[in-house]
Amino acid sequence: MIVELFILAIIVLLAGTVFPLVAATVDRRYVRTISMSCPIIASFLLGGLALSTLLSGESLSFTLYQPVAELSFSFFIDRLASFFLVIIAIVSACVALYFFRIY
């Protein structure tokens, strides 16, 4: 469940990046609202993942993608990484809200 939460957060961040590029001809306010909502949602997802890992005390280790045997994209999230991930999630959500408020 926690791994799926991490993957969902990455997909939401990628969607927030790709959506403005794809929908360049649509109303700018609509595109801006969608693209700025994605980092806020991803911050909450990653913050929830980090809090669950931080409070449970268990480390999380998984391989996200392995194209060949010698190359793999693996993640290891322990309590220290969770602590910093919570801080990053809070700050990025605040920055996204502030930017959303400006425009």
Side-chain angles (χ1 to χ4, degrees), residues 25-90:
T25 59
V26 183
D27 184 23
R28 296 183 98 176
R29 272 184 273 157
Y30 175 69
V31 172
R32 188 176 299 125
T33 302
I34 299 268
S35 66
M36 289 313 300
S37 298
C38 287
I40 295 170
I41 294 168
S43 294
F44 284 122
L45 291 173
L46 288 175
L49 172 133
L51 279 176
S52 67
T53 305
L54 187 63
L55 295 176
S56 71
E58 297 178 9
S59 298
L60 176 67
S61 177
F62 61 95
T63 301
L64 189 63
Y65 180 64
Q66 186 172 6
V68 293
E70 294 81 21
L71 178 67
S72 66
F73 296 100
S74 300
F75 292 92
F76 180 75
I77 302 173
D78 58 352
R79 292 185 77 186
L80 182 63
S82 296
F83 174 73
F84 284 108
L85 193 57
V86 166
I87 292 172
I88 290 170
I90 291 170

